[in-house]
Amino acid sequence: MLSAGLRWLNGEIRMSGLKRGSDELLSQTAAVSNGGIMTPKPGHKENNNDAKKAKLDRNLNNPSRVVHVRNIPNEAVETDIINLGIPFGRITNLLLLKGKNQAFLEMADERAASKMVNYYNNSGVPVIQGRTVYVQFSNHKELKTDSTHPGSISTQAALQAAQALSNKIETQGGPNTVLRVIVDNQVYPITLDVLYQIFSRVGKVLKIITFTKNNTFQALIQYPDVITAQAAKLSLDGQNIYNSCCTLRIDYSKLTNLNVKYNNDKSRDFTNPTLPIGDQGLDSLGIGGAMGMMGSPFTGLPSLGSPLTAAYSAAGGIPLGAFALSPVAATSATLGLGGIRLSGQQSFGGCVLLVSNLNEEMVTPDALFTLFGVYGDVVRVKILFNKKDNALVQMSEPHQAQLALTNLDKIKLYGKEIRVNISKHQVVQMPKEGQQDAGLTKDFTSSQLHRFKKPGSKNYQNIFPPSATLHLSNIPTSVSEEEIKDAFQNTGGEVVAFKFFQKDRKMALIQMGSIEESVISLIKMHNYQLTDSSHLRVSFSKSTI
């Protein structure tokens, strides 16, 4: 089973002058790396060892607005603790004793803290990154945080995020254990396993059903209790799985229980692994009739935005753990395309593709760079010296490799139907000094033609399968329609139709005689020099002329 976790991105909050420091517990007082100081209740004897003091927090009968969380995993971060408390009320402070597997969460009042402790001790199971943790009242009356202390940035960012969420008002009637999830602007493939990784990061996921409705990928996800479902909705609504795309829109479903009859790539009951494998429609999954009752997923729902995304980005690039969807920020450089990335790049396989059945007389590393570059940034290309109809193409990210595989496998290129598969190689090696290569291996790391290096690039929103119609851009006004058509005609294909964009003459559509002709035209004409200062940009289009 895939492990779970979240990594938050795309934030706007910036906090200067603060650095993430050590998480080791300091002696003398309860000061720790994030600048937190615990103020004991009157009469509580000071101790030079906070770990010992934390262990004394066993009294569940004396409510306090400070909640003590024990047995947290080593890789836990501030947002894990926030996710436990945010459904119960406003969070005012946070202290993470990472090296001691403990944390303290200060709620706005004892009532909110009591709701949290009572819930987790009587009905809910608090889980952080797959480990059951223990929640109880602390003997401490309050937490004080020195915001100027080095290393306090992640705590301050997390608290700002919690404040932002607490200020939002839920207006959707009848929250329950089942969430309805819509993936908007789906550029990259999203699977049931991807959703499981993301949503099980918040708590135990019981069941998932995925389906497509109105040409949009959607899912129903069931949690064991309302609190966990509410925390997942608050935490994940509005988040991008990948940078600038695959946005999660989450609402409460009208259903209170999912009836899953098959365990396959479209539905899964994690409480019953013995279910048969089948591939049935929505009706047989027990949800067909309910779909029409759900209405718009956004009816009556306030725009929660992504306050967690914004705040956690301030925490800086924190290394990926066992599961890279950890709810702390990472820079775009850390994650390449950005967004929520999957564990160790494993869920989509590796970054290297094996391309076979190539026309070895025609295909070059540059040609493969241009073609595969439509679906991601190509790092290296290697045409095999002793088997020149095979090549290795290394993409920047695993989901780029998957996207290229999905769109380019079995297309015709120079008269041959190419095959694209994930390679067993993790990287494409450059030839060693003196090794015979004949220019068949090229490194494109520093190329100026990468389409996706710029975060938020519009190219993310214009990725389409190969088609006979090409989208042209960066056309100078001095270049005529006939000049462009002649240039494309010279690639060996037939120009069927051409049309400038009515509102922007710098762009046009050109239709070739076939998809194969279009693919070859894209390879030859992308970055074609139209004038001394203008190079043509070519991509596949979803439109026709």
Side-chain angles (χ1 to χ4, degrees):
M1 187 57 65
L2 296 169
S3 60
L6 294 175
R7 181 166 289 274
W8 305 101
L9 293 173
N10 305 329
E12 298 298 331
I13 294 177
R14 297 290 181 267
M15 304 175 68
S16 60
L18 297 175
K19 296 181 180 178
R20 186 175 180 84
S22 160
D23 286 307
E24 293 302 316
L25 185 66
L26 300 180
S27 61
Q28 302 304 318
T29 64
V32 292
S33 63
N34 58 13
I37 298 177
M38 292 184 289
T39 302
K41 290 182 178 181
H44 183 80
K45 186 176 180 180
E46 285 295 336
N47 192 307
N48 286 339
N49 190 325
D50 256 11
K52 291 181 180 178
K53 285 197 292 186
K55 290 178 182 178
L56 296 175
D57 287 346
R58 298 286 189 269
N59 194 341
L60 301 180
N61 297 320
N62 296 327
S64 165
R65 65 191 185 102
V66 179
V67 176
H68 180 204
V69 184
R70 297 183 293 113
N71 196 42
I72 65 175
N74 293 330
E75 61 272 19
V77 291
E78 287 82 354
T79 51
D80 291 317
I81 314 305
I82 280 183
N83 279 340
L84 290 180
I86 206 166
F88 301 95
R90 188 164 62 91
I91 296 168
T92 54
N93 215 338
L94 170 68
L95 178 62
L96 177 60
L97 305 180
K98 203 170 198 178
K100 303 300 178 182
N101 304 104
Q102 301 177 34
F104 293 85
L105 193 65
E106 181 186 272
M107 307 299 288
D109 50 50
E110 285 188 5
R111 181 174 171 273
S114 295
K115 285 170 59 179
M116 177 179 174
V117 172
N118 290 337
Y119 173 78
Y120 286 127
N121 281 282
N122 295 314
S123 54
V125 179
V127 176
I128 291 180
Q129 299 197 20
R131 179 189 289 188
T132 299
V133 298
Y134 302 98
V135 174
Q136 61 193 42
F137 291 118
S138 170
N139 284 335
H140 298 285
K141 183 178 181 180
E142 63 179 344
L143 302 176
K144 291 183 179 179
T145 301
D146 178 6
S147 62
T148 64
H149 191 286
S152 68
I153 183 170
S154 55
T155 297
Q156 294 302 315
L159 288 172
Q160 289 190 38
Q163 184 66 41
L165 283 181
S166 297
N167 289 337
K168 303 299 178 180
I169 300 174
E170 288 287 345
T171 59
Q172 170 72 18
N176 61 50
T177 59
V178 181
L179 298 176
R180 185 190 186 192
V181 179
I182 293 176
V183 181
D184 281 341
N185 191 22
Q186 185 187 347
V187 174
Y188 298 107
I190 304 299
T191 65
L192 183 149
D193 287 326
V194 170
L195 292 177
Y196 175 78
Q197 291 187 58
I198 295 170
F199 283 83
S200 62
R201 178 63 179 78
V202 180
K204 184 178 181 181
V205 172
L206 300 184
K207 304 172 184 177
I208 300 180
I209 293 173
T210 65
F211 55 96
T212 299
K213 183 177 175 67
N214 299 327
N215 295 319
T216 303
F217 182 79
Q218 302 185 29
L220 295 171
I221 299 175
Q222 184 172 344
Y223 283 106
D225 54 72
V226 173
I227 293 295
T228 308
Q230 184 181 21
K233 182 180 181 300
L234 286 169
S235 301
L236 299 175
D237 186 36
Q239 298 294 336
N240 292 331
I241 298 177
Y242 301 114
N243 189 40
S244 302
C245 65
C246 300
T247 306
L248 296 173
R249 304 296 181 196
I250 304 173
D251 194 9
Y252 297 112
S253 170
K254 296 288 180 65
L255 301 173
T256 57
N257 182 59
L258 298 182
N259 180 20
V260 178
K261 296 183 178 179
Y262 302 98
N263 283 337
N264 54 30
D265 61 347
K266 293 193 172 63
S267 64
R268 200 83 52 83
D269 185 342
F270 297 98
T271 67
N272 186 5
T274 63
L275 287 177
I277 297 174
D279 192 3
Q280 305 297 320
L282 291 179
D283 290 336
S284 64
L285 293 174
I287 62 173
M291 286 297 134
M293 300 165 54
M294 292 185 183
S296 169
F298 308 114
T299 302
L301 183 66
S303 178
L304 295 180
S306 301
L308 282 170
T309 294
Y312 296 142
S313 68
I318 296 177
L320 300 179
F323 184 56
L325 298 179
S326 173
V328 292
T331 61
S332 296
T334 303
L335 296 184
L337 277 181
I340 302 173
R341 199 182 72 169
L342 302 181
S343 171
Q345 303 181 341
Q346 292 305 309
S347 48
F348 292 114
C351 294
V352 180
L353 297 168
L354 172 63
V355 188
S356 57
N357 200 37
L358 295 167
N359 185 329
E360 56 189 88
E361 301 297 326
M362 301 296 294
V363 173
T364 65
D366 288 285
L368 293 175
F369 166 76
T370 302
L371 178 58
F372 281 76
V374 172
Y375 301 103
D377 293 333
V378 177
V379 178
R380 290 176 179 171
V381 176
K382 184 183 191 72
I383 294 178
L384 304 189
F385 185 81
N386 295 320
K387 194 171 175 56
K388 293 184 175 63
D389 62 343
N390 282 254
L392 296 175
V393 178
Q394 181 180 340
M395 310 295 287
S396 293
E397 294 285 337
H399 51 268
Q400 296 178 1
Q402 179 64 42
L403 195 61
L405 184 156
T406 301
N407 286 283
L408 297 178
D409 184 39
K410 297 181 183 178
I411 68 162
K412 284 195 96 176
L413 178 60
Y414 292 115
K416 302 190 76 172
E417 186 179 274
I418 68 172
R419 297 305 308 268
V420 183
N421 292 285
I422 297 292
S423 170
K424 64 181 180 180
H425 297 282
Q426 296 303 306
V427 296
V428 171
Q429 300 286 352
M430 294 299 292
K432 297 177 182 178
E433 188 174 349
Q435 184 177 347
Q436 194 175 18
D437 182 68
L440 296 176
T441 306
K442 290 192 70 172
D443 188 300
F444 295 94
T445 304
S446 59
S447 172
Q448 299 299 310
L449 297 180
H450 291 300
R451 296 176 188 249
F452 306 102
K453 273 196 172 178
K454 182 181 178 182
S457 169
K458 288 185 179 179
N459 289 326
Y460 290 116
Q461 302 170 25
N462 294 295
I463 299 176
F464 303 108
S467 61
T469 305
L470 296 169
H471 179 276
L472 313 180
S473 60
N474 204 37
I475 303 172
T477 55
S478 59
V479 176
S480 68
E481 175 181 333
E482 290 304 317
E483 289 177 288
I484 297 173
K485 289 167 67 175
D486 287 344
F488 275 83
Q489 202 84 34
N490 290 335
T491 63
E494 176 189 3
V495 176
V496 175
F498 180 92
K499 182 176 73 173
F500 279 113
F501 277 47
Q502 198 167 19
K503 295 182 179 180
D504 188 354
R505 196 191 175 281
K506 291 181 180 180
M507 295 191 291
L509 295 177
I510 189 167
Q511 185 174 332
M512 305 303 293
S514 66
I515 293 178
E516 183 181 7
E517 290 181 9
S518 175
V519 170
I520 294 170
S521 294
L522 182 142
I523 291 173
K524 292 184 176 182
M525 295 302 296
H526 182 61
N527 202 43
Y528 180 81
Q529 188 168 353
L530 294 170
T531 65
D532 290 340
S533 59
S534 297
H535 290 74
L536 189 64
R537 297 289 179 261
V538 185
S539 58
F540 296 115
S541 174
K542 66 176 180 179
S543 305
T544 56
I545 302 175

